[in-house]
Structure formats: structure tokens, C-alpha cells
Amino acid sequence: MTHKCIHWFRKGLRLHDNPALMAALRDCKELYPVFILDPHLFDKTRVGLNRWRFLVGALTDLDRSLQKLNSRLFVVRGRPEDVFPQLFTEWKITKLTYEFDTEPYSASRDKRVTALAKEHKVEVVYKVSHTLYDIDRINEENNGKAPLTYNRMQAIVKTLGPPKKPVAAPTVEDVKGLKTPHLGNDMNYYGVPALDELGHDTLELGEEPFPGGEQEALRRLEEHMKKSGWVCSFEKPQTSPNSLSPSTTVLSPYVAFGCLSARTFWWKLTEVYQGKKHSDPPVSLHGQLLWREFFYTASVGVPNFNKMEGNPVCTQVDWDSNHDYLAAWREARTGFPFIDAIMTQLRREGWIHHLARHAVACFLTRGDLWISWEEGQKVFEELLLDGDWALNAGNWQWLSASTFFHQFFRVYSPVAFGKKTDKNGDYIKKYLPILKKFPAQYIYEPWKAPRSVQQAAGCVVGKDYPRPIVEHEVISKKNIQRMKLAYAKRSGNSDESASKKQGVKREAPSVVHMLKKKGKK
Ligand code: FAD
């Protein structure tokens, strides 16, 4: 036992399937599990109150689990580049371990920290466990380029075989003979942050339907895996965007923070599928995890993945900047009850169904408001519990028909789409109680109700609830034409040559079309 080791938790806020943590325990006499509140990642404008509460819950849970192993979590405030040299010296550290992270900020941060570790003669060990596969391996198998269609990525993944099996969580036996100095006086300084630390008004907090933490993640996973019939017949397009309780797993916040390992999720599904007839990718639950892998792969292979400019695979569109429209969308004041109900659920609960994300993302961008997907991406990053750099950027590009998906003429109606799965508008009534007395006939279009009906419902449009900010039928047609122009410019091949320069391969749109027709995301 020679090492004094820091295991640096960033994502991966769990003990199960944490190979880097296991590497820390090897040959270790003193263990310091550390989480850093990096001001670059954690500031009020980027992390909404619900996501902050989720993180605080996850850190509390992790600290509790570490205490059961006679250790604890040290939460340190500051930039990692400033924090580590002090900790290396103060705690006489000889080894640093962490989970590999593909985000550009994380990659540059880790490079700087690794250089500092070298200066302090600290050995660095990192392991891949946030994704099913080593993302670089997938791109390598595709001749060093990001596969830009799901079925291409799936074909590559098939050649790699199934994902690695998850690693078991450490036991008391694994930490025998190893100690974590508790630094008694510094207990508060290194403590898990309080809910008000980020400066949000905690009085705004509502119920907590999805509490953070590994224990809750594993409980939630088990709960779903028990419903083997549901798991085996799961087809994403058949799930509902506006059911009163979620129609999909809501494991995304847990996977995003790494409270749940994607590989554990994958292998649990494999167990449930064993010997039974089951759905397949892209629509199955395995398929959903492969969508995650797909967007991670693209995010690594495509430069400037979270931007339009400088992103060689993204169609360049002349989006408007309209602050009033953006604010109306963000604050659930568009006058379209389906859109406003979704945006209310997002703000209140931090999670909305995938197809609800489709509806509001299409509405903000190519469908109605003609506002850049980057603006929507920022709002989602702040408000989603599962806010994830790669998945958010990838899905916004998809929905705005900027990348991956090219059928820009297929626009979601903010009126008809929700009716398919909720004729009565019960979802709207739940999130917009001001409309709860409207008859079903008008609940999606209250402005069409005769004044007497509005008065009887106790909600006059234009006074108690906004009028629609755009005329969907008119604006969506105009926007399709604008999108057509953007595509025409693109086929001038300017971005194709940029893609080639960047070494990024664009696959034939026809493949994407076929996938969308057959596969449905
Ligand atoms: P399930 O259907 O139960 O799927 C299981 C898991 O598969 C999810 O937990 C998630 O990890 C993964 N998954 C499912 N769908 C997708 C998908 N389309 N892309 C990638 N991974 C997927 N997901 C995020 O986790 N973070 C984001 O920031 C995010 N931003 C999005 C933005 C837009 C505009 C859109 C349209 C989608 C976004 N998604 C994002 C993808 C998807 O909507 C969510 O992952 C999913 O709705 C989470 O709910 P669930 O856990 O019940 O999913």
C-alpha cells in the first residue's frame, strides 16, 4: 500500500461501475474522494434550481455511500487548475484517478490538470465508463470520422461486440487497510453544498419527483426492469409526450450525472430481454442508449458541435433574433396551450418527454418562431435535469433539421400533435390550470372559443391567457420556404467541402430519410 490517492468525481457520481474509483483503491493507503464545484460549470445562469437540487442530492447520496465505506466526499470550491496543486501538496498525493469525459471543456481541463499532476509527480489514471463504448474507438473504426447516421454507427458498434460488463461497486473488503483522513476542522469547508449556495431562490422549489443520487437511480432502474412486458415491447414512437405520468423511464437525469451507469442500464435490459421476444433498435430501450452513443460519437468527431458557425455538418440558417418571441417561448406565454404546458412542466419538474421536446424545439426553430436552436439549447441546458452537452446539441440540430434529419417540410403542429394522445387536454389542464374549465373542443385553441365560452370558463384570451403569438398555418409555410433556401445554399456544397477539410464524412441524406421513415427516433 503505497499511494495517497484522489479520486476525482465529476460526472460518474456513483460507486457501481466505476473502474476509475476501483483503480484508485488499488495499492492505496489514503483515499480522498473529491468533487470540485468549478465556477465554469456551476453558475446560476447555466444551472437552474431543479438541476442544482438534483446535484446536491446526488452528492449527499454519494457522501453517505462513501461513509459506509469509512470514507467521505470532499467538496472543494474553485477552478480545478487552482485547486489541485494545493491538494496535491497539502495531502501529499501520489495518484489521481477520474472517469474519461469527452466534452471539449472537460478535455481541455483534464489536459491542464494532467500537466499539473505531472509537475507534482502525481500518477494519473483515467477510465472510460460514461458511455457504452470508448467513443474514440467508434470513430477509429469509421476511418477516423464520426458516423453521421444511426445505422452506420450501429453497424460499427456491432463489429465491436456488446459493451463491456459493468464493474461491481467497492465493498468494505475492497477498502480494508485504507483510510480517509477526515480532516475534522474542515468538515464544513469540504461539505456538500447547501441548496441556497448557488444563489437561487429556494422558495420557488416545488415537489421533487426525481430526487438525485445513485440509490434512487438503482431503485428506479429496478422498478422499470420488473415490468418485463413493458420493457420488451417498448417502442419509443408509441410512448406519449403528454401522459400525466411519464411514459418513458426518466432515467436520463441519472445517466447524465452518472448516478446510473449506461452499461449497467444496458446489461439489465439484456437480462430482461433474455429468452423473450423484444423490440429492437432504434425504437427499443437498447436503441435509446444507442441514440445516446450516436450523439456522443458525433459530438467528439464534429468540431464546434454545439454551434452553427464553424460546425461543418450543420446547415447554416439565417435565424432571426427576436427577444420577445424567445421570452414568450421560455416563459410559457406563446398562447399555444400545448407548447406552454410543456414549457411549464420543464420549468417546474425539469423533465419533459422526448416528443414534447420535439414539439417545443420545432416550434422555436424551423416550425414557427425562426429562432436559432442554440437559444433553445441554452434554455434546455439551464432547465433540464438531464442537461447533457452532447445530447442537447445533437438533438437540437436534429429537430431544427440542421444536421442528421433533413425533412424540414415535416412540421409539428402545436395544435394537432398533442391531440393524438390527449384529446381531452388533461395534460394542458394539469400544467395550465387557468384553462381547466375550457371544453375539450377548444382546449388546444382557446382563442377560437366564442367569447361566452371563454367567459364561462373563467379565462378570456388576451386578458387571462395570451393570444397566439404567431399564426401557425401561415408562418410554418413561410418558414418551410426559408428552410428550402438554406438547403439550396448548402447544396452549393460549401459545407460539403468544409466537412471534407475537417475530415468529417456526411452520409447520403437518403439514408437518413429511410431511417426516419422506418426507424423513427
Ligand atoms: P428513455 O426513452 O427511457 O430512454 C432511456 C435512455 O436513453 C435515456 O435516459 C437517455 O439516456 C437515452 N436517450 C433516450 N432518447 C435519447 C435521445 N434522443 N438522444 C440521446 N439519448 C437518448 N437527453 C438528455 O439526456 N440530455 C439532454 O440535454 C437532452 N436534450 C434534448 C434536446 C432536444 C431538443 C431533444 C429533442 C431531446 C433531448 N434529449 C436529451 C434526448 C431525450 O429527449 C431524452 O434523453 C429522453 O427524453 C429522456 O427521457 P427518458 O430517460 O425517459 O428516456
Side-chain angles (χ1 to χ4, degrees):
M1 302 270 204
T2 53
H3 282 294
K4 293 189 176 188
C5 186
I6 289 180
H7 175 72
W8 182 13
F9 285 99
R10 302 100 64 86
K11 294 166 190 162
L13 299 179
R14 62 173 185 268
L15 298 191
H16 74 278
D17 195 26
N18 195 334
L21 175 64
M22 297 311 278
L25 301 183
R26 230 162 283 137
D27 205 19
C28 175
K29 61 179 176 187
E30 279 183 15
L31 174 72
Y32 296 86
V34 163
F35 181 87
I36 299 177
L37 278 176
D38 176 351
H40 177 85
L41 295 176
F42 302 104
D43 92 54
K44 197 178 158 179
T45 58
R46 297 180 63 176
V47 182
L49 182 56
N50 281 322
R51 188 139 64 89
W52 176 247
R53 173 167 67 176
F54 190 95
L55 173 69
V56 171
L59 295 176
T60 306
D61 178 66
L62 187 59
D63 187 33
R64 220 177 279 138
S65 301
L66 287 165
Q67 289 190 26
K68 286 186 190 148
L69 295 176
N70 303 317
S71 184
R72 62 161 291 195
L73 185 66
F74 297 89
V75 180
V76 190
R77 280 97 181 138
R79 293 164 63 236
E81 299 88 315
D82 300 332
V83 161
F84 275 116
Q86 287 176 27
L87 297 183
F88 290 156
T89 311
E90 206 174 303
W91 294 343
K92 301 184 176 54
I93 295 301
T94 58
K95 188 161 135 188
L96 169 69
T97 62
Y98 59 78
E99 181 186 64
F100 185 64
D101 188 333
T102 52
E103 280 180 37
Y105 170 73
S106 313
S108 64
R109 172 199 64 194
D110 293 351
K111 207 167 153 196
R112 292 193 294 276
V113 169
T114 302
L116 289 166
K118 241 189 190 159
E119 278 172 30
H120 287 78
K121 302 199 171 13
V122 172
E123 179 193 347
V124 176
V125 177
Y126 62 83
K127 303 277 180 190
V128 171
S129 52
H130 187 61
T131 44
L132 296 174
Y133 295 90
D134 178 348
I135 297 297
D136 289 336
R137 279 281 291 130
I138 299 179
N139 285 338
E140 269 165 34
E141 287 293 318
N142 195 45
N143 303 322
K145 299 163 196 159
L148 293 181
T149 62
Y150 185 88
N151 46 3
R152 176 74 193 133
M153 198 250 353
Q154 215 185 348
I156 294 168
V157 154
K158 264 200 185 122
T159 67
L160 297 177
K164 277 189 185 159
K165 287 253 166 96
V167 180
T171 60
V172 174
E173 194 56 33
D174 291 316
V175 295
K176 219 171 173 182
L178 178 163
K179 65 173 182 158
T180 294
H182 281 255
L183 308 177
N185 295 338
D186 295 327
M187 210 58 187
N188 285 336
Y189 182 59
Y190 289 124
V192 172
L195 260 182
D196 57 8
E197 185 168 323
L198 208 60
H200 285 296
D201 181 1
T202 54
L203 290 175
E204 284 173 16
L205 275 172
E207 276 175 43
E208 192 177 16
F210 315 113
E214 180 181 15
Q215 297 316 309
E216 175 61 15
L218 294 173
R219 189 203 64 73
R220 198 170 179 89
L221 177 68
E222 277 314 310
E223 183 181 86
H224 283 298
M225 295 306 109
K226 273 189 212 146
K227 302 179 287 181
S228 60
W230 180 79
V231 169
C232 290
S233 61
F234 184 95
E235 292 194 357
K236 188 65 165 271
Q238 305 309 325
T239 60
S240 163
N242 46 5
S243 50
L244 295 184
S245 52
S247 61
T248 53
T249 65
V250 195
L251 284 167
S252 51
Y254 303 93
V255 177
F257 277 94
C259 300
L260 175 64
S261 142
R263 298 190 300 208
T264 301
F265 192 173
W266 176 276
W267 282 103
K268 281 281 173 197
L269 288 168
T270 305
E271 255 175 52
V272 176
Y273 291 156
Q274 204 64 48
K276 298 188 194 82
K277 195 167 165 272
H278 61 83
S279 53
D280 287 309
V283 296
S284 63
L285 278 167
H286 262 174
Q288 302 314 299
L289 290 174
L290 289 177
W291 278 114
R292 179 173 181 268
E293 214 67 6
F294 170 71
F295 288 119
Y296 263 85
T297 308
S299 78
V300 170
V302 175
N304 298 309
F305 190 65
N306 66 334
K307 300 187 182 82
M308 179 178 80
E309 274 184 39
N311 175 339
V313 297
C314 180
T315 302
Q316 306 295 301
V317 179
D318 62 339
W319 303 113
D320 293 338
S321 68
N322 186 326
H323 297 294
D324 292 343
Y325 278 2
L326 178 59
W329 177 81
R330 190 177 53 224
E331 292 158 20
R333 297 189 276 105
T334 66
F336 289 93
F338 182 52
I339 300 296
D340 293 342
I342 296 169
M343 293 306 287
T344 304
Q345 184 189 11
L346 171 62
R347 186 166 292 275
R348 196 182 296 167
E349 296 170 9
W351 182 89
I352 48 178
H353 185 276
H354 183 59
L355 295 174
R357 298 180 201 210
H358 275 221
V360 294
C362 182
F363 185 85
L364 179 74
T365 57
R366 66 189 168 89
D368 295 80
L369 303 187
W370 203 257
I371 289 175
S372 164
W373 59 269
E374 290 178 47
E375 296 297 334
Q377 178 183 237
K378 278 185 225 156
V379 173
F380 270 28
E381 182 191 1
E382 180 198 342
L383 297 181
L384 279 173
L385 293 177
D386 61 32
D388 177 300
W389 190 86
L391 304 190
N392 203 19
N395 277 287
W396 271 100
Q397 285 174 75
W398 183 295
L399 260 300
S400 60
S402 299
T403 313
F404 309 117
F405 172 70
H406 305 281
Q407 290 174 299
F408 58 81
F409 44 87
R410 286 177 59 169
V411 173
Y412 288 100
S413 157
V415 171
F417 183 47
K419 280 188 189 170
K420 284 204 273 183
T421 39
D422 179 23
K423 249 197 166 42
N424 281 332
D426 292 334
Y427 173 82
I428 291 172
K429 292 178 185 172
K430 176 175 176 184
Y431 290 102
L432 304 176
I434 183 78
L435 297 173
K436 72 171 186 277
K437 292 201 183 126
F438 262 87
Q441 186 189 354
Y442 296 113
I443 186 94
Y444 285 86
E445 300 169 284
W447 65 91
K448 287 193 176 164
R451 182 119 181 138
S452 58
V453 173
Q454 297 184 26
Q455 278 165 341
C459 172
V460 173
V461 174
K463 180 170 149 273
D464 305 307
Y465 179 71
R467 286 182 212 291
I469 54 171
V470 289
E471 207 178 327
H472 172 73
E473 294 306 329
V474 177
I475 199 91
S476 58
K477 287 196 179 76
K478 193 177 138 209
N479 288 347
I480 288 174
Q481 294 311 315
R482 289 180 86 172
M483 211 62 194
K484 219 177 197 170
L485 273 178
Y487 269 62
K489 268 197 195 159
R490 195 191 75 180
S491 60
N493 263 354
S494 51
D495 73 323
E496 295 292 336
S497 53
S499 304
K500 276 184 199 137
K501 261 189 227 152
Q502 303 280 1
V504 180
K505 190 178 162 202
R506 177 192 288 283
E507 292 185 33
S510 57
V511 181
V512 182
H513 291 179
M514 273 160 44
L515 210 201
K516 185 68 191 168
K517 265 191 205 146
K518 273 205 317 197
K520 296 151 249 151
K521 194 152 77 97

